[in-house]
């Protein structure tokens, strides 16, 4: 049965799965492999030519477990080809280094994930690749920053700390007009933003987050809808020696099957909590694109079919000690990086940007709403505001 035309909840159950290849077991096992033995020299050589076509040749080039994950992610992202790597950051850096050479220029959104920014400023700069940061709200206005040597326009929408939403289709049109490839970090928009219908050429996922979904593995994916572009990136991934571990890919596949149902709960509970936070006197702004008064709401409503459980809160100006007292004392919100797991998390965040000013004066806090009962989470947040005290 082909499930390509079925709804996403149905497709995700079948994507990348081939029980007949694994003695009928519902899930493929975690193939642990370095060496893969061939019966003849001819076969060894023939297989080698197909190593980027999901033929098993050597552990570093993938196993049936990583291939299954890649097929599934390609399908849910709406692309045709996917490669998995050891982390979300590796997916970003492998993509950028595959597409950029010395003398090239990169347009990078100013709200980008911090380590991506650090990679541009540290490694790409050292390799002679210049980065210009652009306003997340620029839209077609990035045309003013395009140069003949601009080879990549990188988007991340919404940003995972400031939650600004980008006009990706408008940006993509300008980028393509100038011959640049559009890369998107689509971690926040997994399942709810279909990158390849919005002009994106390469979609990167920190699969560590919602795909794995249980805070117990590091994983990244790079998906394309064009085979030639994919092979450029796939070759680079192979030459760097980046590879996802089979155990991690297996955990990614396990997480993926329940992704739509988890995501809806994260999103619904998150939105309810975001609405409650808007009523609090301590809060200057809730940074959640599904709230009607969010500056990116219209773009979100146009381009996304939902969201996830990650959003920010800009507090009214208050002492650092008060914020620490609020965060340290939570019972249900654990202090920790990352997001996308079943549990609620909180971190204080700091906006670092160079192209644009950040409008909020007070401290920023980022919440990940997990799968706990939202009324318990609201009670925990309420006690937190007691520790924070009244705004100055
Ligand atoms: C976490 C994250 C990454 C990096 O993923 P890792 O798997 O932690 O390397 C990249 N982009 C975004 C938006 C993230 O939140």
């Amino acid at each position: 049965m082909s499930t390509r035309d079925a709804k996403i909840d149905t497709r995700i159950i079948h994507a990348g799965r081939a029980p007949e290849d694994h003695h009928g077991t519902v899930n493929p096992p975690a193939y642990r492999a370095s060496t893969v033995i061939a019966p003849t020299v001819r076969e060894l050589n023939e297989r080698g030519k197909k190593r980027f076509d999901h033929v098993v040749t050597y552990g570093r080039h993938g196993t049936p477990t990583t291939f299954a994950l890649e097929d599934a992610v390609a399908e849910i992202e709406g692309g045709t080809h996917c490669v998995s790597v050891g982390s979300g950051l590796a997916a970003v850096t492998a993509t950028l280094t595959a597409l950029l050479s010395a003398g090239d220029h990169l347009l990078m959104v100013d709200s980008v994930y911090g380590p991506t920014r650090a990679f541009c400023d540290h490694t790409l700069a050292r390799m002679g690749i210049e980065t210009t940061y652009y306003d997340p709200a620029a839209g077609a206005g990035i045309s003013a920053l395009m140069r003949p040597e601009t080879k990549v326009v990188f988007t991340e929408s919404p940003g995972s700390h400031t939650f600004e939403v980008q006009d990706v289709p408008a940006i993509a049109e300008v980028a393509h007009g100038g011959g640049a490839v559009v890369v998107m970090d689509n971690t926040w928009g997994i399942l709810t933003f279909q990158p390849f219908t919005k002009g994106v050429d390469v979609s990167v996922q920190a699969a560590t987050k919602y795909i794995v979904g249980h805070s117990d593995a590091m994983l990244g994916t790079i998906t394309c809808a064009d085979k030639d572009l994919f092979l450029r990136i796939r070759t680079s991934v192979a030459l760097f020696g980046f590879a996802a571990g089979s155990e991690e890919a297996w955990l990614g596949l396990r997480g993926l099957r329940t992704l739509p149902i988890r995501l809806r709960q994260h999103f619904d509970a998150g939105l309810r909590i975001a609405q409650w936070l808007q009523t609090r006197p301590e809060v200057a702004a809730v940074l959640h694109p599904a709230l009607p008064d969010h500056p990116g709401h219209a773009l979100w409503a146009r381009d996304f079919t939902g969201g996830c459980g990650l959003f920010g809160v800009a507090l009214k100006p208050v002492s650092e000690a008060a914020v620490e007292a609020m965060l340290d004392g939570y019972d249900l919100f654990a202090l920790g990086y990352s997001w996308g797991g079943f549990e609620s998390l909180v971190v204080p965040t700091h906006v670092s940007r160079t192209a644009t000013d950040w409008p909020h004066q007070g401290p920023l806090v980022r919440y990940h709403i997990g799968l706990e009962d939202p009324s318990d989470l609201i009670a925990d947040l309420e006690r937190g505001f007691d520790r924070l005290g009244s705004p100055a």
Side-chain angles (χ1 to χ4, degrees), residues 17-27:
R17 225 153 48 72
E20 61 282 9
D21 294 343
H22 308 285
H23 304 279
T25 59
V26 169
N27 297 309

Side-chain angles (χ1 to χ4, degrees), residues 87-89 113 156 160 185 187 206 208-209 218-219 339:
S87 71
L89 187 60
Y113 177 66
E156 181 180 323
S160 68
D185 183 331
T187 306
T208 305
K209 309 291 166 56
M218 303 296 300
L219 201 60
W339 44 286

Side-chain angles (χ1 to χ4, degrees), residues 37-377:
I37 292 161
T40 61
V41 173
R42 178 185 290 259
E43 176 79 14
L44 190 76
N45 291 338
E46 285 304 309
R47 282 194 206 168
K49 290 179 200 150
K50 297 182 195 152
R51 71 190 192 286
F52 297 157
D53 291 322
H54 287 187
V55 170
V56 183
T57 56
Y58 182 59
R60 196 195 318 121
H61 296 312
T63 66
T65 320
T66 59
F67 298 157
L69 174 75
E70 291 161 1
D71 287 344
V73 172
E75 183 166 342
I76 66 172
E77 286 259 73
T80 53
H81 295 80
C82 172
V83 62
S84 54
V85 292
S87 71
L89 187 60
V92 169
T93 60
T95 300
L96 290 175
T97 40
L99 299 177
L100 293 162
S101 305
D104 287 347
H105 176 237
L106 163 67
L107 278 178
M108 175 58 74
V109 63
D110 207 19
S111 51
V112 74
Y113 177 66
T116 298
R117 185 182 200 102
F119 181 76
C120 297
D121 295 346
H122 178 265
T123 310
L124 292 186
R126 203 161 40 72
M127 292 166 61
I129 297 157
E130 191 189 339
T131 302
T132 301
Y133 293 96
Y134 67 90
D135 183 350
I142 61 147
S143 59
L145 301 172
M146 289 288 292
R147 302 179 194 168
E149 64 274 22
T150 306
K151 294 290 164 56
V152 172
V153 177
F154 194 103
T155 62
E156 181 180 323
S157 178
S160 68
H161 286 287
T162 60
F163 302 94
E164 292 153 287
V165 183
Q166 296 191 255
D167 191 341
V168 174
I171 289 169
E173 200 181 323
V174 171
H176 290 156
V181 173
V182 178
V183 179
M184 180 164 187
D185 183 331
N186 191 33
T187 306
W188 195 94
I190 180 81
L191 289 189
T192 66
F193 183 92
Q194 286 290 293
F196 301 104
T197 65
K198 304 284 189 295
V200 172
D201 302 302
V202 185
S203 179
V204 168
Q205 278 290 336
T208 305
K209 309 291 166 56
Y210 284 109
I211 291 179
V212 167
H214 295 71
S215 307
D216 50 7
M218 303 296 300
L219 201 60
T221 61
I222 307 164
T223 303
C224 298
D226 176 86
K227 187 163 187 187
D228 290 336
L229 179 61
F230 175 74
L231 285 177
R232 280 172 69 190
I233 296 170
R234 182 68 190 84
T235 302
S236 195
V237 166
L239 293 176
F240 273 117
F242 289 164
S246 276
E247 199 80 50
E248 282 72 15
W250 186 88
L251 287 165
L253 279 167
R254 162 163 284 203
L256 187 101
R257 304 300 171 198
T258 56
L259 181 57
I261 191 169
R262 283 188 285 113
L263 211 51
R264 280 197 290 274
Q265 178 65 21
H266 285 293
F267 179 62
D268 291 348
L271 196 51
R272 179 175 153 196
I273 291 169
Q275 284 160 347
W276 178 81
L277 284 163
Q278 280 192 307
T279 68
R280 293 294 311 197
E282 300 86 350
V283 170
V286 181
L287 313 176
H288 193 313
L291 294 173
D293 57 357
H294 186 274
H297 182 72
L299 286 175
W300 171 82
R302 185 191 72 185
D303 291 346
F304 290 73
T305 56
C308 64
L310 191 77
F311 63 86
V313 170
L315 295 169
K316 289 181 184 163
V318 64
S319 77
E320 221 167 281
V323 178
E324 277 185 33
M326 177 174 89
L327 302 189
D328 287 352
Y330 284 135
D331 295 316
L332 300 176
F333 287 90
L335 269 167
Y337 294 112
S338 202
W339 44 286
F342 52 80
E343 81 288 22
S344 288
L345 294 171
V346 65
V347 276
T349 59
H350 305 279
V351 176
S352 74
R353 48 208 289 155
T354 49
T356 44
D357 291 328
W358 177 242
H360 300 288
Q361 303 299 318
L364 274 187
V365 178
R366 187 181 75 177
Y367 291 97
H368 177 251
I369 304 305
L371 302 176
E372 303 90 340
D373 189 301
S375 60
D376 290 329
L377 294 175

